[in-house]
Amino acid sequence: MIKHLLTILVALMLWVPNFASAADPKVAFIYVGPVGDGGWTYAHDLGRRHLEKMGVETTYVESVPETDSERVLRNLARRGYDIIFTTSFGYMDPTLNVAKQFPDTIFMHASGFRTHDNMGNYFARMYQARYLVGMVAGMMTKSDKIGIIGSHPIPEIIRHINAFTLGVRSVNPKASTQVVWVNSWFDPAKEGAAANSLMDNGADIITITTDSAAATQTAAKRGLYSIGNDSDMTLYGPEAHLTANIFNWGIYYEHIYNHVKNGTWKPSSDWWGIETGAVDLAPFGKMVPKNVQDMVMAKKAEIASGEFVVFKGPIKGQDGSTAIAAGAVPSDQDLLSMMYYVEGVVGDIPQ
């Protein structure tokens, strides 16, 4: 009897939840923008296509308003998809609501922080690549003025603007970045107008936290430079596009798929860094000198090895006061809630 009880106890200790209801899980995605946006959604869809190349059955729903996401999620769960990836911060609470209603389905939410028995969240440390493309901008600018088109003033975007500016000023302390907010993830008309406004004010390089290639196309028309976002945007302006910070989501999606298929998936909060390959740089444009490329790639290796940390003090705030004390490294929670500008950023954070 005792032996029997011990056998049961050991079995319980080794048991892990297995949410996969099929030998080959079916995977669905919902996107906030169109798959052809060239940026955020396009990068996620490249990850989906990576799964398809593995033979995985997938589907997606694009341009889903965050206010309508709960209905779309519920529909996908009813259709029997085993894993559902939701790829916008605004999908977080709707994802949690639907996850509670479909306990046998795995939900993974990008860029948020909530978890549940069958829901995890994930992101990649894009701020590391932002620092590197900032170095490129700092060494390539002639006017020492660099424009940033901001999407929404949330901590993720503020963190990326700060990392970019730290990269700029690490190689060019005289340079500054100016932010224009468009309050949209994808609005090519607004993004183009914002790019023109920044260049009219002297910026000779434009980067974005939005999703379209409008800024690159506008910079190309004016004979100036741009830095893309989330995916390689060279196609939209080969003579303008210096490089871009990019996601390689396929690596992560394959990781989650395999864990679900093997019955080893557990809810977690993943934040993968540049050492995993989940974030990287697009190829340099031919106008970027080799010495610039070499400096950036050397810094990339330092970040990947842990020798260099982007947000390590001393770092000054926009007003010159101490934002991060000498030697201090903010916690992930501090980074995830960052709502201040570092020194070198021009403009205010909308309230």
Side-chain angles (χ1 to χ4, degrees), residues 133 135-149 164 194-196 198-199 202-208 213-228 233 236-244 284-289 292:
V133 298
M135 289 179 64
V136 175
M139 288 185 276
M140 295 295 291
T141 180
K142 303 295 183 188
S143 67
D144 293 335
K145 294 181 179 179
I146 299 162
I148 301 176
I149 299 174
F164 179 87
N196 273 318
L198 288 163
M199 289 186 281
D204 59 355
I205 299 175
I206 302 293
T207 190
I208 57 176
T216 291
Q217 293 168 319
T218 304
K221 288 178 183 175
R222 298 184 58 156
L224 298 174
Y225 291 142
S226 71
I227 290 176
M233 296 181 171
Y236 302 97
E239 304 301 321
H241 192 257
L242 297 174
T243 183
F284 294 108
K286 61 184 180 183
M287 65 294 278
V288 181
V292 173

Side-chain angles (χ1 to χ4, degrees), residues 68-87:
D68 191 35
S69 58
E70 194 164 320
R71 179 189 63 81
V72 176
L73 277 166
R74 196 175 294 111
N75 186 42
L76 289 168
R78 285 174 178 152
R79 288 167 57 190
Y81 285 94
D82 304 289
I83 312 169
I84 301 177
F85 291 98
T86 61
T87 62

Side-chain angles (χ1 to χ4, degrees), residues 29 42-52 248-251 253-254:
F29 293 77
Y42 175 70
H44 282 287
D45 202 57
L46 289 178
R48 182 190 65 81
R49 287 186 240 171
H50 175 85
L51 292 180
E52 290 238 315
N248 293 316
W249 288 118
I251 297 170
Y253 290 148
E254 181 177 347

